[in-house]
């Protein structure tokens, strides 16, 4: 692909990476990470690496944010339950 | 160490990194210029083995032993996840039927999209696995697509269907069989009098579906293994997030709703 396309995509990746880091809420950060994964996938296609792009989109966009969100949901549920147990007891 | 010396040390480290990184990057050959000697030889070997996808040839033909290691890693991580997230004595599991949402709770369009896309995505995943040696993709990518395709039924609001679609013991066995099949094909190379994982099957013609010798066979083995591993990992995480509850400890003073999350 043309050098300008690659340069623009690289700049977009450089801008979005701090955005992912600075999203503080963990479940929101997982979704922003998913979007960042799509951008990375597009960059990889622009760099003529479609196999890597497929892996990135499959794992980084679908599986990893799902696993993170599920883990957070499980933890939050336990925290909520213990907090409610303590309130009910007191 | 107090803060100020640590920050100075960090700044010094970053400056050294910047200087040496700049020097290293300016000494590299230009972007997209002269091909690397290893790359030239790899592409030559790809065409000698009648493989249309050079990446797949490097992964499954020239460096097949490294891919064997990666498969073992995925196998190990799936086994570890299943082991760590097994149901403990202090936990109980709800029924999956409680997390099945009907038409009044989920948008019709969402349910329809989920149900229609599921077979389409499974077909696309199978295509990516089988055509790994011809077009971009391969066993790993197709396996991930297959695994996530099954979970479209969960996104459509139907956890019960997802449970029926993925009997966990079957996927346990399938994962192990996939890994064993990969190694068996490799041992076939030894039996044929050559090296481990050597490409000993007939190569065929470039661009045919049955070309590149052992590469399509290894692709299918990896596809089965990766799909099963991801289904197992996602299944365990979904169970933890949705179904598993701790038993109420007696003497808790009675948390009113019986532990419902």
């Amino acid at each position: 692909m043309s050098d300008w396309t690659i340069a623009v995509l690289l700049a977009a990746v450089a801008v979005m990476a701090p955005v992912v880091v600075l999203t503080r809420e963990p479940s929101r950060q997982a979704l922003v990470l998913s979007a960042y994964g799509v951008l990375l996938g597009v960059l990889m296609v622009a760099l003529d690496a479609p196999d890597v792009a497929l892996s990135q989109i499959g794992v980084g966009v679908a599986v990893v944010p799902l696993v993170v969100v599920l883990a957070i949901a499980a933890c939050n549920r336990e925290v909520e339950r213990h907090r409610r147990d303590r309130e009910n007891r007191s | 160490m107090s803060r100020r010396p640590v920050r100075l040390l960090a700044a010094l480290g970053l400056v050294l990194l910047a200087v040496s990184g700049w020097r290293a990057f300016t000494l590299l050959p230009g972007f997209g210029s002269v091909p690397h000697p290893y790359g030239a030889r790899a592409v030559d070997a790809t065409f000698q083995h009648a493989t249309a996808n050079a990446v797949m040839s490097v992964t499954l033909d020239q460096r097949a032993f490294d891919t064997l290691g990666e498969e073992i890693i995925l196998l190990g991580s799936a086994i570890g996840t299943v082991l760590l997230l097994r149901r403990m004595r202090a936990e109980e599991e709800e029924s999956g039927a409680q997390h099945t949402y009907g038409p009044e709770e989920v948008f019709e369009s969402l349910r329809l999209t989920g149900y229609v896309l599921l077979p389409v995505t499974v077909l696309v995943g199978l295509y990516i696995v089988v055509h790994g040696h011809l077009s971009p993709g391969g066993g790993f990518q197709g396996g991930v697509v297959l695994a996530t395709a099954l979970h479209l039924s969960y996104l459509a609001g139907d956890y019960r269907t997802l449970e029926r679609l993925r009997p966990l013991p079957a996927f346990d066995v399938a994962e192990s069989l996939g890994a064993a099949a990969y190694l068996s094909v490799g041992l076939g190379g030894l039996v044929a009098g050559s090296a481990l994982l050597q490409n000993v099957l007939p190569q065929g013609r470039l661009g045919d579906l049955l070309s590149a010798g052992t590469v399509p066979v290894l692709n299918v083995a990896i596809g089965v293994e990766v799909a099963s591993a991801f289904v197992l990992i996602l299944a365990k995480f979904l169970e933890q997030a949705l179904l598993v509850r701790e038993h109420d400890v007696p003497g808790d003073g009675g948390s009113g709703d019986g532990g419902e999350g």
Side-chain angles (χ1 to χ4, degrees):
Chain A
M1 293 233 176
S2 85
D3 276 347
W4 277 115
T5 317
I6 297 175
V8 164
L9 282 171
L10 279 174
V13 163
V15 163
M16 197 168 173
V19 170
V20 174
V21 171
L22 293 173
T23 314
R24 300 321 282 172
E25 177 68 38
S27 43
R28 271 194 215 168
Q29 195 176 32
L31 286 180
V32 178
L33 184 66
S34 178
Y36 182 63
V38 175
L39 184 61
L40 275 181
V42 173
L43 173 66
M44 289 166 183
V45 170
L47 287 170
D48 293 335
D51 300 71
V52 186
L54 267 175
S55 295
Q56 162 67 32
I57 290 177
V59 172
V61 173
V63 176
V64 170
L66 178 62
V67 161
V68 168
V69 166
L70 289 176
I72 292 172
C75 290
N76 279 347
R77 202 198 53 224
E78 281 308 309
V79 165
E80 270 300 309
R81 201 172 148 262
H82 283 300
R83 191 177 56 80
R84 239 178 321 117
D85 284 352
R86 240 179 304 127
E87 282 175 10
N88 286 343
R89 239 180 295 153
S90 63
Chain B
M1 257 181 151
S2 57
R3 277 218 169 160
R4 185 110 194 275
V6 171
R7 283 194 186 156
L8 282 179
L9 207 58
L12 180 65
L14 282 176
V15 163
L16 280 175
L17 178 66
V19 165
S20 53
W22 185 260
R23 186 166 157 70
F25 279 123
T26 48
L27 286 179
L28 283 175
F31 183 69
S33 68
V34 179
H36 196 274
Y38 180 78
R41 286 181 174 79
V43 173
D44 271 341
T46 304
F47 285 123
Q48 275 171 20
H49 282 183
T51 314
N53 187 353
V55 174
M56 200 47 45
S57 174
V58 171
T59 316
L60 289 182
D61 198 350
Q62 302 168 36
R63 313 288 313 190
F65 191 64
D66 300 344
T67 310
L68 176 65
E70 287 179 24
E71 264 223 281
I72 307 279
I73 289 176
L74 188 55
L75 184 73
S77 59
I79 291 176
T81 306
V82 170
L83 200 61
L84 282 174
L85 295 181
R86 71 193 182 282
R87 223 183 71 194
M88 311 289 287
R89 228 178 305 142
E91 291 171 347
E92 62 185 358
E93 214 168 290
E94 286 178 357
S95 148
Q98 292 185 17
H99 293 277
T100 296
Y101 300 106
E104 64 273 3
E105 284 139 333
V106 179
F107 288 128
E108 279 294 330
S109 53
L110 181 61
R111 291 172 67 234
L112 186 63
T113 309
Y115 289 141
V116 165
L117 274 186
L118 197 152
V120 172
T121 316
V122 169
L123 208 57
V124 169
L126 287 173
Y127 175 88
I128 294 180
V129 169
V130 171
H131 287 76
H133 57 293
L134 298 175
S135 57
F140 179 79
Q141 291 88 335
V144 176
V145 172
L146 280 174
T148 50
L150 287 183
H151 292 82
L152 281 173
S153 61
Y154 169 64
L155 289 181
D158 202 346
Y159 189 72
R160 196 87 191 91
T161 304
L162 177 65
E163 277 186 332
R164 283 207 206 108
L165 279 179
R166 52 142 175 89
L168 285 187
F171 278 94
D172 261 332
V173 170
E175 186 194 18
S176 319
L177 279 183
Y182 188 97
L183 194 52
S184 311
V185 172
L187 290 175
L190 280 178
V191 164
S194 185
L196 179 73
L197 287 166
Q198 186 76 9
N199 201 341
V200 292
L201 289 180
Q203 311 287 320
R205 200 177 40 178
L206 181 71
D208 277 354
L209 187 57
L210 284 179
S211 60
T214 54
V215 173
V217 182
L218 292 176
N219 251 336
V220 171
I222 291 184
V224 167
E225 200 256 342
V226 167
S228 311
F230 273 102
V231 164
L232 285 175
I233 293 176
L234 286 177
K236 283 304 172 186
F237 271 92
L238 275 171
E239 274 177 20
Q240 285 290 319
L242 297 180
L243 301 184
V244 171
R245 308 268 183 260
E246 276 182 16
H247 283 299
D248 281 328
V249 177
D252 232 359
S255 49
D257 50 1
E260 204 269 320

